[in-house]
């Protein structure tokens, strides 16, 4: 006799892909009429933005570009000029054909930007970006629940608390703020970028709420006819209406991206407009109750065991990685210092995972003769974390703080910190009885004992009861047990 059980659907998000692609974009640019000839390239900056995301049946694409600004010294000796360049990119990820449309999350980091002179009227600008693409597709897993189980059939039922990705989406919003530089007014903006940072996030019933700051970095030509740089924080707070209500233990992960950035000089202040995209995943706690095994001491029982596979979140936290780099070059007048981080990488050593954050430090300074110079140095931060076998770490860059510098010997030591979000995840397989085949009652051996005395070795009560033709309840009652016995304990085993 085959017994089929009730089926309950457990919805979750399946991660089709999570992969970084690196791209290099190169463009030749001719100076507009009216701009002086190029004497030499001084420095370059950039801002990566995302313009569109598209889900396809066999993959996904992300399009955007880099706004680059190149500072050069004119050949005629006049004040430095800047050239703005747009370098577009499009990236595609392939994955197995999907059943339905899902959600794309992406993070685009500018790894480096530089330029070189081709002629007095032409330059070549190069930008490299690291683009993290993540595809999340809605799925359902069937959980089988026992119903009308025949008398005498024993079930090994276990309960698993599981934190599962349930919902994903995005909130597009605009920052529109006036930034006051405390009485100082730039004559001309040379470069700018904005790095969003989430400082608080949470799920309140049917809403996801988050707040943070956009760290606005400006490089400008001042009224004193010198180049300056400054960083200002622009606060923001947003909420999202979710598809359903969640309990108080639900949590969320937010990945930020920029879609535009437009600062404008106005009388007495700088007017900043920036498009932002907050890409979120909601994780909810579920209690999974499954029957992992079945038998009967009186009948032949063949369980149909399947494996329940669900992506589970084990831990979520923020970590700080220290950036420090020695630059062996005299820099008496440091004007600006930025760090261009790459996407984090990782490798395993035993039960530990080593996180590495490579990047490039760029310094704009004046040398001993008062001449503008720039210097770029590769550097990397490292962090060791515990992660058991079968666990994986999903690492997202949260923020990159301002870089500071101190004189060190004959050079400069540049230092700062980067915050990363670390999600510890596991694809946990749980054995689950999806049906039973129950045979006729077995003929019992009249000479078999009704009581067995056995020393417990490496078996559980369930394994012991199943092998001896008893039940867990009968063994517990006979030995006055409330839990699993200790190894080596002598047990009385009533035989059914």
């Amino acid at each position: 006799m085959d017994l089929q059980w009730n089926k309950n659907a457990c919805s979750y998000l399946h991660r089709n892909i999570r992969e970084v692609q690196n791209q290099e974009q190169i463009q030749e640019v001719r100076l507009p009429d009216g701009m002086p000839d190029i004497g030499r390239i001084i420095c370059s900056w950039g801002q990566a933005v995302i313009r569109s995301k598209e889900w396809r049946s066999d993959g996904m694409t992300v399009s955007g570009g880099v706004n680059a600004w190149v500072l050069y010294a004119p050949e005629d000796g006049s004040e430095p000029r800047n050239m703005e360049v747009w370098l577009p990119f499009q990236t595609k990820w392939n994955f197995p054909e999907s059943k339905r449309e899902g959600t794309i999350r992406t993070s685009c980091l500018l790894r480096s930007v530089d330029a070189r002179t081709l002629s007095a009227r032409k330059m070549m600008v190069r930008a490299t970006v690291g683009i993290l693409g993540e595809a999340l597709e809605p799925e359902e897993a069937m959980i089988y629940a026992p119903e009308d189980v025949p008398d005498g059939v024993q079930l090994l039922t276990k309960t698993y608390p599981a934190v599962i990705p349930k919902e994903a989406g995005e909130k597009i919003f605009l920052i529109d703020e006036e930034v006051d530089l405390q009485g100082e007014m730039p004559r001309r903006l040379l470069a700018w970028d904005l790095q969003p940072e989430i400082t608080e996030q949470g799920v309140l019933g049917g809403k996801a709420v988050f707040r943070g700051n956009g760290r606005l970095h400006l490089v400008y030509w001042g009224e004193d006819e010198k180049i300056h740089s400054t960083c200002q924080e622009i606060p923001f707070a947003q909420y999202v209406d979710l598809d359903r209500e969640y309990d108080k233990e639900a949590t969320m992960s937010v990945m930020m991206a920029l879609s535009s950035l437009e600062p404008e000089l106005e009388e007495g202040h700088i007017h900043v407009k920036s498009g932002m995209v907050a890409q979120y995943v909601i994780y909810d706690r579920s209690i999974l109750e499954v029957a992992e095994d079945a038998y009967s001491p009186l009948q032949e029982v063949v369980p149909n065991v399947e494996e329940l596979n669900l992506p589970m979140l084990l831990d979520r936290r923020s970590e700080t990685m220290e950036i420090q780099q020695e630059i062996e070059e005299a820099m008496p007048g440091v004007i600006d210092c930025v760090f261009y981080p790459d996407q984090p990488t990782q490798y395993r050593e035993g039960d530990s995972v080593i996180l590495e954050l490579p990047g490039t430090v760029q310094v704009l300074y004046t040398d001993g003769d008062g001449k503008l110079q720039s210097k770029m140095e590769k550097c990397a931060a490292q962090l060791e974390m515990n992660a058991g076998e079968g666990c994986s770490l999903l690492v997202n860059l949260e923020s990159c703080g301002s870089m500071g510098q101190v004189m060190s010997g004959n050079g400069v030591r540049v230092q700062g910190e980067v915050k990363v979000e670390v999600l510890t995840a596991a694809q946990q397989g749980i054995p689950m009885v999806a049906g039973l085949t129950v045979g006729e009652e077995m003929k019992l051996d009249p000479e078999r004992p009704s009581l067995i005395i056995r020393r417990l070795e490496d078996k559980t009560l369930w394994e012991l009861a199943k092998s001896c033709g008893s039940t867990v309840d009968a063994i517990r009652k006979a030995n006055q047990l409330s839990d699993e016995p200790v190894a080596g304990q002598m047990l009385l085993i009533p035989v059914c």
Side-chain angles (χ1 to χ4, degrees):
M1 177 176 60
D2 292 334
L3 299 179
Q4 297 299 323
W5 293 0
N6 287 336
K7 294 186 291 185
N8 299 314
C10 175
S11 61
Y12 66 97
L13 293 177
H14 167 67
R15 187 171 284 104
N16 272 344
I17 195 170
R18 181 183 168 94
E19 182 180 277
V20 174
Q21 290 196 25
N22 295 318
Q23 280 203 6
E24 181 179 87
Q25 302 297 320
I26 298 176
Q27 189 168 322
E28 293 184 5
V29 183
R30 180 173 291 276
L31 296 182
D33 295 340
M35 290 189 72
D37 290 349
I38 302 169
R40 64 183 178 91
I41 303 292
I42 300 174
C43 195
S44 304
W45 298 267
Q47 171 75 69
V49 298
I50 299 297
R51 290 292 172 81
S52 67
K53 300 182 289 183
E54 183 181 359
W55 184 285
R56 300 176 181 178
S57 62
D58 61 346
M60 65 182 189
T61 59
V62 172
S63 300
V66 175
N67 268 328
W69 299 273
V70 181
L71 183 70
Y72 74 93
E75 195 174 44
D76 60 11
S78 58
E79 68 182 43
R81 305 299 177 94
N82 69 311
M83 182 72 184
E84 185 174 353
V85 184
W86 171 253
L87 297 100
F89 63 77
Q90 184 178 74
T91 306
K92 181 178 180 181
W93 291 263
N94 296 315
F95 48 71
E97 187 169 340
S98 58
K99 303 172 186 176
R100 57 184 70 89
E101 185 168 345
T103 302
I104 299 171
R105 295 208 307 168
T106 186
S107 168
C108 183
L109 298 181
L110 179 62
R111 302 172 62 203
S112 65
V113 57
D114 59 66
R116 65 183 181 89
T117 305
L118 298 178
S119 70
R121 304 297 300 172
K122 186 185 290 186
M123 66 176 69
M124 185 178 73
V125 184
R126 179 181 61 181
T128 58
V129 290
I131 309 164
L132 170 64
E134 182 179 69
L136 299 163
E137 181 180 351
E139 289 283 0
E140 286 186 345
M142 289 299 140
I143 298 179
Y144 293 84
E147 185 180 58
D148 299 329
V149 179
D151 293 339
V153 174
Q154 305 296 306
L155 295 176
L156 177 61
T157 302
K158 290 189 178 181
T159 300
Y160 294 89
V163 180
I164 302 171
K166 288 285 190 177
E167 183 179 337
E170 65 181 29
K171 176 66 180 287
I172 302 173
F173 61 98
L174 178 68
I175 286 182
D176 191 341
E177 293 286 341
E178 294 181 356
V179 176
D180 186 2
L181 298 186
Q182 300 178 347
E184 187 176 358
M185 190 59 194
R187 280 179 48 194
R188 180 162 47 94
L189 292 179
L190 302 178
W192 51 88
D193 66 84
L194 190 145
Q195 296 182 17
E197 175 188 6
I198 300 295
T199 56
E200 295 180 55
Q201 55 186 309
V203 180
L204 301 175
K207 296 184 184 297
V209 296
F210 57 92
R211 68 175 68 243
N213 295 300
R215 191 180 69 87
L216 178 66
H217 168 237
L218 298 172
V219 182
Y220 61 92
W221 184 256
E223 294 179 342
D224 58 356
E225 297 189 348
K226 293 182 180 179
I227 295 177
H228 303 268
S229 70
T230 184
C231 288
Q232 303 285 331
E233 288 192 347
I234 303 176
F236 60 82
Q238 297 288 321
Y239 74 90
V240 182
D241 290 319
L242 301 174
D243 292 342
R244 66 178 181 87
E245 294 277 330
Y246 291 91
D247 63 30
K248 62 181 181 180
E249 294 187 4
T251 186
M252 67 186 297
S253 168
V254 181
M255 184 184 294
M256 297 296 297
L258 252 65
S259 60
S260 65
L261 178 59
E262 300 173 8
E264 294 182 357
L265 290 176
E266 296 183 358
E267 187 175 353
H269 63 270
I270 299 174
H271 190 186
V272 178
K273 289 184 179 180
S274 177
M276 290 195 177
V277 185
Q279 307 156 100
Y280 60 87
V281 176
I282 306 298
Y283 294 87
D284 195 22
R285 188 171 182 267
S286 300
I287 302 299
L288 307 177
E289 186 171 310
V290 298
E292 293 190 350
D293 195 11
Y295 77 95
S296 172
L298 304 175
Q299 295 172 278
E300 183 180 358
V301 173
V302 180
N304 173 26
V305 179
E306 297 181 0
E307 190 169 72
L308 175 64
N309 275 294
L310 291 172
M312 299 186 186
L313 179 67
L314 307 181
D315 183 48
R316 176 189 169 274
R317 55 180 165 167
S318 291
E319 295 284 349
T320 299
M321 304 182 73
E322 301 293 334
I323 305 297
Q324 186 166 297
Q325 181 65 30
E326 299 282 346
I327 301 179
E328 298 295 331
E329 191 156 336
M331 298 180 178
V334 175
I335 299 170
D336 182 57
C337 183
V338 294
F339 175 64
Y340 292 117
D342 202 348
Q343 296 287 354
T345 61
Q346 56 183 282
Y347 61 91
R348 180 173 285 275
E349 288 186 353
D351 286 337
S352 297
V353 171
I354 310 300
L355 298 183
E356 286 192 343
L357 182 72
T360 302
V361 171
Q362 176 179 281
V363 181
L364 175 67
Y365 65 99
T366 53
D367 61 18
D369 298 325
K371 191 176 180 180
L372 286 169
Q373 306 282 2
S374 69
K375 182 73 173 180
M376 299 179 72
E377 289 276 353
K378 296 286 186 182
C379 62
Q382 196 174 84
L383 180 68
E384 182 175 352
M385 299 186 63
N386 292 327
E389 186 178 352
C391 297
S392 61
L393 299 185
L394 310 179
V395 185
N396 303 316
L397 188 70
E398 283 190 321
S399 68
C400 183
S402 299
M403 302 297 293
Q405 61 280 329
V406 294
M407 302 305 293
S408 174
N410 294 324
V412 171
R413 182 171 68 249
V414 178
Q415 54 195 22
E417 61 181 33
V418 174
K419 292 182 181 179
V420 293
E421 177 193 49
V422 182
L423 306 173
T424 304
Q427 189 77 22
Q428 186 168 347
I430 301 172
M432 175 180 60
V433 176
L436 290 176
T437 299
V438 181
E440 299 294 328
E441 288 191 11
M442 296 182 294
K443 292 182 179 181
L444 301 180
D445 184 354
E447 297 184 2
R448 73 173 182 165
S450 60
L451 188 66
I452 299 174
I453 300 177
R454 178 167 295 183
R455 184 182 301 277
L456 182 69
E457 295 176 350
D458 58 350
K459 290 186 177 181
T460 63
L461 279 183
W462 173 267
E463 293 169 328
L464 194 61
K466 185 176 179 180
S467 63
C468 294
S470 183
T471 68
V472 172
D473 288 342
I475 298 174
R476 281 180 173 164
K477 186 176 180 180
N479 296 274
Q480 299 181 345
L481 297 173
S482 59
D483 206 343
E484 289 287 328
V486 297
Q489 183 175 344
M490 297 295 293
L491 296 175
L492 300 176
I493 304 173
V495 179
C496 298

